Amino acid sequence: DLLKAPRLLTIPQGSTTPQQLRIVHGGTEGNLLRNRVSGEATLSLSVDDQDSNFNGLGSAGPAVQVAVTVMPGFESNVQDSFNRVIQKGTSFYLNLLLDQPATKATNVSIVSSDPTAAMVTPRVFFPEGSVGPVTVTVSHQGRIGDALISLEVTSTEGNFAGVTAINYLSVEMMPGFWVSTTNVSVQHQDCSAMLYLGLDTRPAADTTVTITSQDPSVVGATAQVRFSALDWTGPEASAQPVSITWLGAGVTQLSLVAASPGGNYNRVRQDGLVTATAYRPLTVSRSSVLVQRGGVNDVSVSTPMKPSAMTTFTFTAIPAGVVSVSGTHIQTAGTNETFVLTVTHLSRGSATVRVLATSDPPGSLYDGVSHDVHVTAMPGFVFSPPVLLVYSCFGHDTCVGSFSFSADTSSLADMTV
């Protein structure tokens, strides 16, 4: 059980060429468990061939023997195949155990054949009497390709002294995706937002990427985008639009799964590359208002739910100079009263008044929520004189007055006043 070796070896007549005898550690056969057994074994060689001048060697005289020490070794969570695929931006955790307790404190060095593709925890330690487990992190470093992970005991004492596991784990480092943003926000008012998705490596075959929301009650997404291998010109240049749709308040992440039969993107998957935040709605009396020259208009705002923390609402007019807006409103935790936003005419034009909520501490129900109100600041008339006095005196000139007025900008059509 300790050692596997062939029972017979034929040496050609007249040959003095060194012969290769392949012996295999007994823990590997049939179960893919390396170094499962350990101990001392002996190989005995003998010749039983009547026509050979070596006949009787090892049987008619002193035995011809080779002593073999069968070393202990490692077990882990990769014993199914000793191969793993690592997606870009992720790490694999190799859980390593000793197949028998260490008789002395044992240090194990871990080496990657290509640290630019796969970086590993450089060393781990097993206390005396321990079998583990210990964790070795294998991290994707961005370069695409294969790497081999080897284990070597550097301790000089104990039953594991000198144990090695060369090329213990083979890892395949996969290509990944390019996105225009890793955080996308969807306001209830806007209903949707857009990001762009590309392949960060040239695809070897046409590739289809399926996009799903990990919480489909929060956002929806464009189901699939396709990339042509012939038309790919770069991650950003070949990127495809992905629409994110508001479904309900919350935070979720997107899962990206590529299918590319025969190509380098087949089996590529990234979860959590993009975080999507769907904000709660505000109750706003009007999303579009008119403000007359020299006048004001009011918009009522309230929160459907009571904020869990103090929330400050700030109002900003974009661009500046068309209208002005009242300052800020502070809403204490546990209340949801209605407040009024006053919009004052400054000059003719169009503007957006943005209502933005921030909470203290951050992260409460309405932190980050915004709502835009479209404002049209109307043109008007200029009067001369601005004040006209008319007296009650029948038949006298002071009983009649007149004034003139003109449009403050040219009219695009005839108008009746």
Side-chain angles (χ1 to χ4, degrees):
D1 293 336
L2 292 180
L3 207 60
K4 307 296 180 181
R7 294 184 60 82
L8 295 174
L9 177 66
T10 299
I11 301 176
Q13 180 180 353
S15 174
T16 59
T17 302
Q19 303 297 307
Q20 298 292 326
L21 182 63
R22 184 173 183 267
I23 59 176
V24 180
H25 194 293
T28 63
E29 184 173 316
N31 57 14
L32 294 177
L33 299 178
R34 299 184 180 183
N35 299 315
R36 169 121 335 168
V37 293
S38 63
E40 301 296 329
T42 300
L43 290 177
S44 297
L45 308 180
S46 62
V47 178
D48 183 13
D49 194 328
Q50 299 296 324
D51 297 328
S52 172
N53 56 327
F54 281 82
N55 185 45
L57 179 68
S59 58
V64 179
Q65 295 181 332
V66 178
V68 180
T69 299
V70 180
M71 304 294 286
F74 305 101
E75 295 186 0
S76 70
N77 58 335
V78 298
Q79 290 173 174
D80 55 343
S81 65
F82 297 99
N83 292 281
R84 285 296 183 267
V85 169
I86 302 181
Q87 304 293 346
K88 195 166 188 179
T90 68
S91 297
F92 171 72
Y93 299 100
L94 173 64
N95 296 322
L96 199 63
L97 300 100
L98 304 180
D99 66 1
Q100 58 183 259
T103 58
K104 295 287 185 179
T106 301
N107 291 294
V108 182
S109 175
I110 300 94
V111 179
S112 169
S113 64
D114 187 354
T116 65
M119 180 177 289
V120 297
T121 304
R123 62 188 61 84
V124 292
F125 173 74
F126 293 89
E128 181 178 340
S130 170
V131 296
V134 297
T135 299
V136 176
T137 303
V138 185
S139 300
H140 197 308
Q141 292 300 293
R143 201 182 73 77
I144 312 306
D146 299 330
L148 296 170
I149 310 302
S150 298
L151 314 175
E152 180 180 0
V153 174
T154 57
S155 303
T156 58
E157 296 181 338
N159 55 335
F160 278 84
V163 170
T164 61
I166 304 302
N167 300 340
Y168 184 80
L169 171 63
S170 174
V171 292
E172 181 182 359
M173 317 309 282
M174 304 297 280
F177 303 103
W178 175 90
V179 290
S180 55
T181 179
T182 57
N183 291 280
V184 60
S185 299
V186 188
Q187 298 290 345
H188 176 263
Q189 179 189 25
D190 300 330
C191 297
S192 65
M194 188 75 70
L195 63 86
Y196 286 85
L197 170 65
L199 307 180
D200 69 3
T201 303
R202 177 178 292 278
D206 291 351
T207 300
T208 299
V209 180
T210 300
I211 305 106
T212 56
S213 169
Q214 294 181 8
D215 187 345
S217 68
V218 175
V219 297
T222 301
Q224 290 182 332
V225 292
R226 293 175 174 83
F227 299 91
S228 167
L230 293 177
D231 296 336
W232 189 89
T233 56
E236 187 172 355
S238 302
Q240 300 292 324
V242 175
S243 177
I244 309 300
T245 306
W246 193 99
L247 297 176
V251 179
T252 187
Q253 294 180 320
L254 301 183
S255 294
L256 310 174
V257 180
S260 181
N264 55 333
Y265 267 88
N266 207 34
R267 300 179 299 157
V268 169
R269 179 188 184 107
Q270 281 191 265
D271 297 319
L273 180 62
V274 177
T275 298
T277 302
Y279 288 106
R280 296 180 180 277
L282 291 174
T283 300
V284 179
S285 60
R286 287 178 291 176
S287 289
S288 179
V289 297
L290 297 177
V291 184
Q292 302 293 341
R293 177 186 172 95
V296 299
N297 214 330
D298 293 333
V299 177
S300 298
V301 181
S302 64
T303 56
M305 299 180 65
K306 297 178 180 180
S308 57
M310 184 179 71
T311 303
T312 301
F313 294 87
T314 57
F315 317 122
T316 307
I318 307 168
V322 177
V323 294
S324 65
V325 290
S326 51
T328 61
H329 171 77
I330 297 177
Q331 190 163 317
T332 57
T335 63
N336 60 344
E337 70 273 7
T338 299
F339 56 93
V340 175
L341 164 65
T342 299
V343 183
T344 303
H345 190 292
L346 295 179
S347 64
R348 180 180 60 87
S350 296
T352 297
V353 172
R354 177 158 299 165
V355 181
L356 175 64
T358 56
S359 67
D360 185 16
S364 76
L365 289 177
Y366 289 93
D367 192 31
V369 171
S370 70
H371 191 102
D372 289 345
V373 178
H374 178 71
V375 179
T376 301
M378 300 295 289
F381 298 112
V382 178
F383 294 90
S384 179
V387 177
L388 180 65
L389 300 178
V390 180
Y391 299 94
S392 177
C393 46
F394 180 75
H396 195 275
D397 289 346
T398 59
C399 299
V400 179
S402 65
F403 64 90
S404 63
F405 69 96
S406 62
D408 64 358
T409 187
S410 59
S411 174
L412 299 179
D414 294 343
M415 63 177 174
T416 300
V417 180

